[in-house]
Amino acid sequence: MTKSRLEAFSDGVLAIIITIMVLELKMPEGESEQDLKALIPLIPTFLSYILSFIYVGIYWNNHHHMFHLVDKINGAVLWKNLNLLFWLSLVPFTTAWMDKHYDKPIPVALYGFVLLMAGIAYVILQKELIKIGGPDCKLAKAVGTDAKGNASWILYLAGISGSFISPWIGIGIYALVAIIWFIPDKRIERFYSTDQEI
Amino acid sequence: MTKSRLEAFSDGVLAIIITIMVLELKMPEGESEQDLKALIPLIPTFLSYILSFIYVGIYWNNHHHMFHLVDKINGAVLWKNLNLLFWLSLVPFTTAWMDKHYDKPIPVALYGFVLLMAGIAYVILQKELIKIGGPDCKLAKAVGTDAKGNASWILYLAGISGSFISPWIGIGIYALVAIIWFIPDKRIERFYSTDQEI
Amino acid sequence: MTKSRLEAFSDGVLAIIITIMVLELKMPEGESEQDLKALIPLIPTFLSYILSFIYVGIYWNNHHHMFHLVDKINGAVLWKNLNLLFWLSLVPFTTAWMDKHYDKPIPVALYGFVLLMAGIAYVILQKELIKIGGPDCKLAKAVGTDAKGNASWILYLAGISGSFISPWIGIGIYALVAIIWFIPDKRIERFYSTDQEI
Amino acid sequence: MTKSRLEAFSDGVLAIIITIMVLELKMPEGESEQDLKALIPLIPTFLSYILSFIYVGIYWNNHHHMFHLVDKINGAVLWKNLNLLFWLSLVPFTTAWMDKHYDKPIPVALYGFVLLMAGIAYVILQKELIKIGGPDCKLAKAVGTDAKGNASWILYLAGISGSFISPWIGIGIYALVAIIWFIPDKRIERFYSTDQEI
């Protein structure tokens, strides 16, 4: 089974997820709606849009890297990939709820819960791909001990719990996870480009 | 005629269908809207989203498998494929209606009716592809007597009829069909991977 | 310049156009909304959805056929293709207006006008492709005198004008054009498959 | 790392951005809604749709040209591409706000600001690609001094500032930039086709 359609379908779903979130950015109607002040109530929506955009971007990047290192897939991969897309498809919903109630524990905790489930789904998919490729496959080597993945899980759980102390703790931790993934991909990149040159 | 654009277009349409259903997941406005309780009225929407997500996922998987085994297409295939996409494009609508009235016969029966029509459209497409490939083509062998396809039809009809006794019978049967397709694809997979190795 | 990204982008836009129209299919809220009767006011929406689905399907099919016969594109093709996509992107809007006022001349005429403009955009694109390929290119031969294209134009104009006598004349003529394109593509198909075999 | 998935994902996002803007075209409800007069309040929406359609079209064209000249990408390119898509994803929002308040400075200035940010994001991406390819790569040669890009920035800034004198100045300048990109791509095209022939 070739991976090209799985990639194309995933690209399509992720492109839609990342783009429909912007539909939440709607001008509130009212007197000063042509004013700069009209943009103030949109700030939380905008910030949570950025956060979710980065998260979906991270997943797209990682998905891209992962399947690049993979040659063989099977029927189980199709479903485990759909499982990942399912959880990511909930991100626009949890984003919309969180940006409306960014100061309440439940919406912020739910946002983290869906990220956690997407993270678990990603690892399930990764394990299946490594199972197919064998312990010496390129993906197995690139993933290694997956310190970053494990740290994310602990941080998601901390963020979800922290939301009940203060939602800002939750949001802060989610932003931290995004930054962790966003910045130091040098190691994987190095593995990656070496792999390319061979 | 190459199949790549048909696959790309179908992937696009299916990606959109599977993703726009999540737009139905909207927080009801009200006093307790930042509460866990606010999620309770969303449970039927969420469950029917899962069911429809799995159904569209099944169709995508099967479509993927089917066209993988096919080399030649023609103009009739384009239209028969569009026919399948047409019925699947109605799934977000019937899902939205069913999740609002999951305890009423007509919406539940209509949900099953659209699934039945999509099932019929799928078989029409499959027959055309086998006609082009000839009785000895890979697809013809993989499909065989298509016991699972035939069982689905009987179950859809049972589900549609059962909805008029109790909508829960209908929903239960639709869930059963999804499970049947979801679980035991071992046989096809085996054929498939054998085919790959040759 | 390769045509693959132009095809991928066009497939994406057409997939979205064909799918977002289904968002118009919304249950009217009211007392009998779980009833079969609730579906009656949706019939015009549904029928115009089918008509527009077929039209976009025809354009996708023709676009597919046309670019299959083409090897070279240039920057002008990109813009002329975007021009076609622009007019087709208006179809969901004119469809929504027509299905709400299917008994009024202006919405029905506007629906035809956008189809006419899309038809003209298609021919402009086709002419550019033939200009690039030269008078002996495969596309030039396949198009021939383009009797079907010319007939469509006259019929669109008749439909637009006829809408002012009775909207039903307009709708009838638009359906007729769809049927003309839907059915007898045997000739092109023959050219096409011959071409394939060589 | 291959560029094909980056292209496919970008095509998907741009296809969605360009298409969801048409969802703003909605018939205002009222007495004369089946009338030609009903279309009059839609004229600003329609004109700003055309403007934004052309802008997204320009970005798609330029993106297409740029990546055509590029062979190697890396992880930084993925993020810098996502940055460009992020700013472009805001275009439907700023378009919707501007078409509702086309006679007010802030919405018109914001529209220009997002275009400016997208322009900057584009140059950041271009610089990264040239850094990877080296100063003698095809892209570096094709871009040259990038007079058009530099002119756009000055014009965007003029448009944003001009909006505070009169919004029409802003809109006029944005239209001018679109025309500049729309028309005289002959030079690049020439480079391009020469490159093709070698």
Side-chain angles (χ1 to χ4, degrees), chain C residues 112 116 120 146-162 173-174 176-177 180-181:
Chain C
L116 176 66
I120 292 171
D146 199 13
K148 213 149 88 169
N150 293 332
S152 306
W153 290 21
I154 295 164
L155 285 169
Y156 286 142
L157 286 171
I160 295 168
S161 323
I173 292 176
Y174 305 151
L176 182 69
V177 178
I180 289 177
W181 281 99

Side-chain angles (χ1 to χ4, degrees), chain A residues 86-108:
Chain A
F86 173 77
W87 289 105
L88 291 175
S89 80
L90 298 178
V91 168
F93 165 68
T94 56
T95 304
W97 203 30
M98 185 175 77
D99 76 52
K100 228 173 129 194
H101 300 286
Y102 53 89
D103 53 351
K104 296 289 187 309
I106 301 285
V108 175

Side-chain angles (χ1 to χ4, degrees), chain B residues 13-180:
Chain B
V13 171
L14 291 173
I16 298 160
I17 290 170
I18 217 169
T19 320
I20 59 174
M21 285 189 293
V22 89
L23 295 175
E24 282 297 314
L25 274 179
K26 268 181 192 155
M27 273 302 142
E29 307 200 6
E31 264 180 46
S32 65
E33 63 174 7
Q34 78 287 7
D35 238 328
L36 258 191
K37 271 179 288 177
L39 293 174
I40 293 171
L42 284 179
I43 291 173
T45 309
F46 186 65
L47 292 178
S48 57
Y49 175 56
I50 293 178
L51 185 63
S52 296
F53 191 98
I54 292 174
Y55 265 115
V56 179
I58 288 168
Y59 272 103
W60 180 73
N61 275 9
N62 289 350
H63 195 272
H64 183 146
H65 281 86
M66 183 161 70
F67 276 93
H68 184 80
L69 298 173
V70 155
D71 296 316
K72 258 170 85 179
I73 63 168
N74 61 19
V77 168
L78 298 190
W79 279 111
K80 285 170 184 179
N81 188 57
L82 276 169
N83 182 37
L84 172 62
L85 295 178
F86 173 76
W87 289 105
L88 291 175
S89 80
L90 298 177
V91 168
F93 166 68
T94 55
T95 304
W97 204 30
M98 185 175 77
D99 76 52
K100 229 173 128 194
H101 300 286
Y102 52 90
D103 53 351
K104 295 289 187 308
I106 300 285
V108 175
L110 188 74
Y111 184 84
F113 175 72
V114 165
L115 289 180
L116 176 66
M117 294 307 288
I120 292 172
Y122 188 83
V123 171
I124 292 173
L125 175 59
Q126 193 173 261
K127 278 200 193 310
E128 180 72 32
L129 288 167
I130 291 176
K131 210 181 84 186
I132 299 171
D136 294 325
C137 69
K138 283 185 274 181
L139 179 61
K141 282 176 194 156
V143 169
T145 56
D146 199 13
K148 214 149 90 171
N150 293 332
S152 307
W153 290 22
I154 296 164
L155 284 169
Y156 287 141
L157 286 170
I160 295 167
S161 322
S163 303
F164 293 93
I165 305 167
S166 158
W168 295 107
I169 295 176
I171 293 172
I173 293 176
Y174 305 151
L176 182 69
V177 178
I179 291 165
I180 289 177

Side-chain angles (χ1 to χ4, degrees), chain B residues 97 100-101 104 106-107, chain C residues 27-41:
Chain B
W97 204 30
K100 229 173 128 194
H101 300 286
K104 295 289 187 308
I106 300 285
Chain C
M27 273 302 143
E29 305 199 8
E31 264 181 46
S32 64
E33 63 174 7
Q34 76 288 7
D35 237 330
L36 258 190
K37 270 179 288 176
L39 293 173
I40 292 171

Side-chain angles (χ1 to χ4, degrees), chain D residues 39-81:
Chain D
L39 293 173
I40 293 171
L42 285 178
I43 290 172
T45 309
F46 186 65
L47 291 179
S48 57
Y49 176 55
I50 293 178
L51 186 63
S52 296
F53 191 98
I54 291 174
Y55 264 114
V56 180
I58 288 167
Y59 272 102
W60 180 73
N61 274 10
N62 289 350
H63 195 272
H64 183 146
H65 281 85
M66 182 161 69
F67 276 93
H68 184 80
L69 297 174
V70 155
D71 297 316
K72 257 170 85 179
I73 64 168
N74 61 19
V77 168
L78 298 190
W79 279 111
K80 286 171 182 179
N81 188 56

